[in-house]
Amino acid sequence: MKKKFLLSLILIFIFCTSTYSATIRFWHSWSNEEASILSSVVAKYEALSGNKVIMQGIPFGAFQTRFSTMSARGDVADVIVGPPDWLGLFAEQNLIEPLTSFNGGDTSGFIKEAIAPCYYKGKLYGLPESVRTIVLFYNRKLISIPPANTREMINKGTAITDDGEGVYGLVYDRASFYYHIPWITGFGGKIINETNNRPTFTSKEQIAALRFLRNLNTGAKKIMPAESTNFEMTMMMFNQGMAGMMINGNWVLGDLKKTRLDFGVAKLPVVSETGLPAKPAAGSEIFMMSSKSKQKEAAYDFIQFITSSDIQSEFVKAGHIPSRDDVYEMKKVRTSGFYNELQVFKAQLADSIPMPNVPEMNYGIWDQGNSMVQELLNTNNSYEDVTRDAQNTAVRRIIQSQKK
């Protein structure tokens, strides 16, 4: 293994020394431990390549607008990293460069679920550094064995739910449509009509998923708190033993490992009513090249480096799920303290759907999906009214955006 590692470093050195003394501007929205690791691997790249990387952190919520605006001015990053739905939007706007001319379309070694979102209309627009998805976390002191299906999840959850004590069976960022997707797929639904890229909010499957969600929050099957739990509240409740189960992503693994909490991770449960697995939408952290870059060879050199197996193994400490198969069997990954959890996340990837990367997701589906879930939980409005409002508003905004 040591020989293979040294060979990998030599290969990295060879392709990094193919370009010299270029300055690469790189934008990201990473924070905390992943940002710290990013700084160290960028320093390693600079030492090996002779190129200079100027990093700039951009808030996630402002990233799309900033990149589009600055691209129009010609004052933009050479390389960016972001999720699949950015890729489709930026590709439509001709703001990112297809990579086929740089690597001949070679994507060998990448997990299929990781590389799939990097394509848009048949063209490869980026390379994945890692994969992102959600699973079920459970506090072993409250839930000794994770539920295999939603019936078990509700039974285990109601057994420990106590409004008076502020303890609940399940928490997650319930106002986010992203976290609602597994219930939609578990009831046999889709989040987008792939023939016309329109939402499917009014489908019977989506209505069934909303009915399931409402039942988790009220009545005899209540296992979630009445108040809305955002990401910060979710983490606080789970860390303090106020929740037996939590739906969250690999991005919290690093922080949870630093606590004394005895927790486990498991795949999301099968939906008992249908017998179908609750499939989350899996996306990738995709490194993309600006079409406006004047340093494209150097930019691709940097993308190759940061998505290589050895560099991906560094980010495991931040809870990143490697996008390359061989990383999982590296000694430092197997002994990292994250190996067992990574295997669960990898298994969940096999039971996931690709994160749609079409622009319509940003034009109307994400926002209206969020609004739909919030309206359902905060009002007594009927399922038909809630879904119809979301559908009509999303379609209208999609049409308006396409006319611009």
Side-chain angles (χ1 to χ4, degrees):
M1 179 59 75
K2 183 179 289 186
K3 289 182 178 179
K4 289 179 68 176
F5 177 72
L6 290 174
L7 178 60
S8 296
L9 286 180
I10 292 170
L11 290 174
I12 289 173
F13 179 80
I14 290 172
F15 71 65
C16 285
T17 52
S18 62
T19 52
Y20 298 93
S21 303
T23 298
I24 304 164
R25 297 177 64 186
F26 169 49
W27 289 3
H28 67 92
S29 57
W30 292 359
S31 60
N32 301 325
E33 188 167 7
E34 61 184 356
S36 176
I37 296 171
L38 181 63
S39 295
S40 68
V41 300
V42 164
K44 184 182 295 185
Y45 172 76
E46 290 178 325
L48 288 170
S49 69
N51 295 332
K52 176 68 177 175
V53 179
I54 301 176
M55 289 198 298
Q56 184 175 353
I58 308 291
F60 187 86
F63 202 110
Q64 290 183 55
T65 301
R66 182 84 60 87
F67 185 67
S68 297
T69 302
M70 298 303 284
S71 292
R73 298 176 184 174
D75 182 22
V76 73
D78 299 287
V79 176
I80 62 171
V81 59
D85 50 320
W86 290 5
L87 183 145
L89 181 66
F90 294 152
E92 281 290 337
Q93 297 172 339
N94 295 315
L95 299 182
I96 53 177
E97 186 80 9
L99 299 185
T100 306
S101 60
F102 297 91
N103 70 353
D106 180 22
T107 57
S108 57
F110 287 107
I111 298 170
K112 65 178 182 179
E113 291 87 359
I115 198 65
C118 299
Y119 287 90
Y120 183 71
K121 294 185 176 179
K123 292 183 179 180
L124 180 68
Y125 279 96
L127 292 179
E129 175 273 329
S130 59
V131 195
R132 296 167 70 89
T133 193
I134 54 178
V135 297
L136 186 73
F137 292 77
Y138 60 99
N139 182 332
R140 288 194 173 99
K141 289 185 178 180
L142 299 175
I143 305 290
S144 57
I145 301 174
N149 55 54
T150 54
R151 185 176 295 110
E152 289 183 7
M153 182 184 78
I154 292 170
N155 289 341
K156 291 174 182 288
T158 54
I160 64 172
T161 295
D162 187 328
D163 275 316
E165 294 294 326
V167 176
Y168 296 92
L170 177 68
V171 291
Y172 62 88
D173 187 357
R174 66 178 193 178
S176 169
F177 183 64
Y178 172 73
Y179 288 89
H180 181 61
I181 289 173
W183 307 138
I184 297 171
T185 59
F187 279 93
K190 295 184 176 183
I191 60 176
I192 191 170
N193 184 331
E194 294 160 359
T195 61
N196 59 10
N197 291 342
R198 294 296 188 262
T200 61
F201 295 134
T202 54
S203 70
K204 64 179 182 179
E205 293 86 3
Q206 287 238 30
I207 290 175
L210 289 175
R211 182 175 290 109
F212 175 78
L213 174 62
R214 183 174 270 176
N215 287 339
L216 294 181
N217 286 268
T218 59
K221 296 180 180 180
K222 174 181 168 64
I223 60 173
M224 300 181 71
E227 66 273 12
S228 181
T229 48
N230 60 16
F231 175 81
E232 290 75 19
M233 180 67 74
T234 294
M235 287 294 290
M236 183 274 292
M237 292 183 69
F238 190 71
N239 282 334
Q240 295 187 9
M242 299 165 64
M245 295 170 284
M246 171 181 72
I247 298 175
N248 220 322
N250 53 288
W251 44 91
V252 305
L253 261 180
D255 290 335
L256 285 177
K257 284 286 189 177
K258 295 175 183 177
T259 70
R260 295 182 178 180
L261 188 68
D262 183 14
F263 72 93
V265 296
K267 287 176 60 178
L268 294 173
V270 168
V271 172
S272 297
E273 289 87 338
T274 64
L276 298 174
K279 295 184 176 184
S284 298
E285 286 289 346
I286 305 174
F287 278 74
M288 298 165 267
M289 182 195 308
S290 169
S291 60
K292 311 293 183 182
S293 173
K294 295 180 174 61
Q295 304 283 354
K296 290 180 180 176
E297 291 292 340
Y300 182 69
D301 194 56
F302 177 62
I303 291 173
Q304 272 192 303
F305 175 86
I306 207 144
T307 59
S308 66
S309 298
D310 288 310
I311 299 305
Q312 285 190 29
S313 69
E314 296 291 325
F315 283 103
V316 166
K317 293 176 288 187
H320 283 208
I321 308 171
S323 64
R324 289 183 179 272
D325 258 322
D326 62 342
V327 181
Y328 292 86
E329 300 309 317
M330 287 183 172
K331 182 178 180 180
K332 68 177 177 178
V333 173
R334 293 179 68 92
T335 60
S336 66
F338 289 82
Y339 184 72
N340 291 336
E341 290 84 2
L342 288 179
Q343 293 302 313
V344 175
F345 275 98
K346 190 178 182 184
Q348 185 68 75
L349 286 177
D351 257 340
S352 66
I353 63 169
M355 177 77 75
N357 63 8
V358 295
E360 286 81 0
M361 293 298 296
N362 284 290
Y363 291 159
I365 296 176
W366 283 127
D367 285 347
Q368 290 312 301
N370 293 339
S371 297
M372 177 183 71
V373 171
Q374 292 170 33
E375 183 180 348
L376 176 92
L377 295 173
N378 296 328
T379 72
N380 292 319
N381 294 347
S382 70
Y383 301 107
E384 290 74 19
D385 287 344
V386 169
T387 55
R388 184 175 58 250
D389 289 347
Q391 182 78 16
N392 292 341
T393 303
V395 170
R396 184 172 65 251
R397 289 184 177 178
I398 288 170
I399 293 172
Q400 289 172 346
S401 297
Q402 290 172 334
K403 288 180 178 178
K404 293 180 180 179

